[in-house]
Amino acid sequence: MGVFERFLSAWVGLGMLAGIVGGVLFPELFSLLGDIQYAQINMVIAVLIWLMIYPMMMQVDFASIKQFHRRPKGLVVTIVVNWFIKPFSMALLAIFFIRYLFGGWISPSLGEEYIAGMILLGVAPCTAMVFVWSQLTRGDANYTVVQVAINDLIMVVAFAPIAALLLGVTDITVPWDTLLLSVTLFVVIPLIAGAITRHYLHRKGSKQDKLDKLAATLKPFSILGLVGTVVLLFGFQAQTIIDNPLDIILIAIPLLIQTYLIFAVAYMWMKKWKQPHNIAAPGAMIGASNFFELAVAVAISLFGIHSGAALATVVGVLVEVPVMLSLVAYANKTRHQFGADAA
């Protein structure tokens, strides 16, 4: 493990601090970078995430993907946790904490908006960053692609009905441009690029050796992409963090509990069903993390850019990276509790 991986939490912590300081001192610069977006997706962050995902996509073997049906239990856990547990546990936690436990510190109208934003996060399991968490836990690249692909297909038909049910409204408009562009940017394009890379190296001979060397060369850039993403996310929201410290903490508490709860349910279920670690860890990460681009876009379209719902989804973005890194560390420490990884 190189210096980048050993001190990854420290780099992320410094990135968070640099983002807040930079956002306060150079708001025009971060505003300019923040405006480089399409369909609520920031293109600068998209490039950084793509840089993180590409090394993993190079490891995807399309011939092996066809064998995913030999381990259907991993997919069952992912689907059930993401769509039958996570949205409803998030709604319950949000209502309990925001409406009742923290009701004395938050106005009722603003609290309801916070709850709505948190529900939107709960109905949007991860599409992009899970590839990063999978790579950091040495996940099965082929199986992770299948897990994410099936999850995205379900999201197309299930996101709006579940969100409408939990929010108590009937006019949920799914921003299809955000959903489709995210899947294209974070799954389709890097997957194609990885396949082209594998094909090119195969023509040159000794494909695996060359792949390993290229992956090792790109690893520092992948970590820099992660840290750069953190800097931008915290820089974009620096003033919000400074202006609303108490509300952000209150919103973060149920989000943190939800993240650890969903990971624990999926991870322990995978273990009980004797799934290998390189399938269990990424599968648990999908539900624990969120498709924040979609949640933010829907919150803004329904409640407005300055609403409490939008702020709640942004808090979800802010807490995700450090929390998920802690889960990555835990998953790596508990690898020995699982059987041999799937080949």
Side-chain angles (χ1 to χ4, degrees), residues 141-153:
N142 304 320
Y143 204 89
T144 300
V145 168
V146 174
Q147 286 173 307
V148 170
I150 291 178
N151 195 67
D152 287 345
L153 290 174

Side-chain angles (χ1 to χ4, degrees), residues 263 267-268 271 277 327-338:
F263 176 86
Y267 199 57
M268 293 301 102
K271 181 181 177 182
H277 188 269
L327 291 176
V328 166
Y330 175 78
N332 286 334
K333 287 181 181 178
T334 56
R335 179 180 296 273
H336 66 280
Q337 297 179 11
F338 290 74

Side-chain angles (χ1 to χ4, degrees), residues 97-120:
F97 277 91
I98 302 300
R99 186 181 297 173
Y100 298 107
L101 198 58
F102 301 150
W105 292 293
I106 303 173
S107 68
S109 59
L110 189 58
E112 293 305 306
E113 290 189 4
Y114 289 162
I115 291 171
M118 295 162 71
I119 287 174
L120 290 173

Side-chain angles (χ1 to χ4, degrees), residues 53-251:
I53 293 173
Y54 171 63
M56 180 182 176
M57 291 305 196
M58 294 190 308
Q59 306 298 328
V60 174
D61 183 353
F62 282 89
S64 298
I65 285 179
K66 299 175 183 177
Q67 307 302 318
F68 80 90
H69 62 278
R70 294 183 178 179
R71 292 188 178 274
K73 290 183 177 180
L75 290 175
V76 171
V77 173
T78 300
I79 292 169
V80 172
V81 169
N82 287 350
W83 297 105
F84 293 91
I85 298 177
K86 180 182 179 181
F88 305 96
S89 63
M90 184 72 266
L92 290 174
L93 286 170
I95 292 171
F96 173 73
F97 277 91
I98 302 300
R99 186 181 297 173
Y100 298 107
L101 198 58
F102 301 150
W105 292 293
I106 303 173
S107 68
S109 59
L110 189 58
E112 293 305 306
E113 290 189 4
Y114 289 162
I115 291 171
M118 295 162 71
I119 287 174
L120 290 173
L121 284 170
V123 192
C126 191
T127 288
M129 290 297 286
V130 67
F131 292 114
V132 180
W133 315 135
S134 179
Q135 188 177 33
L136 292 174
T137 55
R138 298 195 301 250
D140 184 324
N142 304 320
Y143 204 89
T144 300
V145 168
V146 174
Q147 286 173 307
V148 170
I150 291 178
N151 195 67
D152 287 345
L153 290 174
I154 295 174
M155 193 181 313
V156 169
V157 297
F159 177 86
I162 295 177
L165 171 67
L166 294 176
L167 291 175
V169 297
T170 58
D171 57 349
I172 294 288
T173 300
V174 177
W176 292 106
D177 51 354
T178 300
L179 179 57
L180 297 177
L181 180 61
S182 293
V183 173
T184 300
L185 281 177
F186 304 136
V187 180
V188 177
I189 292 179
L191 189 61
I192 292 174
I196 292 173
T197 302
R198 288 181 65 91
H199 178 72
Y200 175 78
L201 294 178
H202 180 70
R203 291 174 55 192
K204 296 292 184 180
S206 302
K207 177 175 63 175
Q208 192 57 50
D209 290 342
K210 291 182 180 295
L211 271 175
D212 292 341
K213 290 179 180 178
L214 181 57
T217 301
L218 292 176
K219 183 171 289 186
F221 296 97
S222 181
I223 302 299
L224 287 174
L226 174 58
V227 176
T229 300
V230 172
V231 171
L232 288 180
L233 289 176
F234 277 77
F236 293 156
Q237 302 299 330
Q239 200 57 53
T240 300
I241 296 172
I242 299 297
D243 293 341
N244 304 277
L246 179 59
D247 282 16
I248 286 174
I249 292 172
L250 296 181
I251 294 170

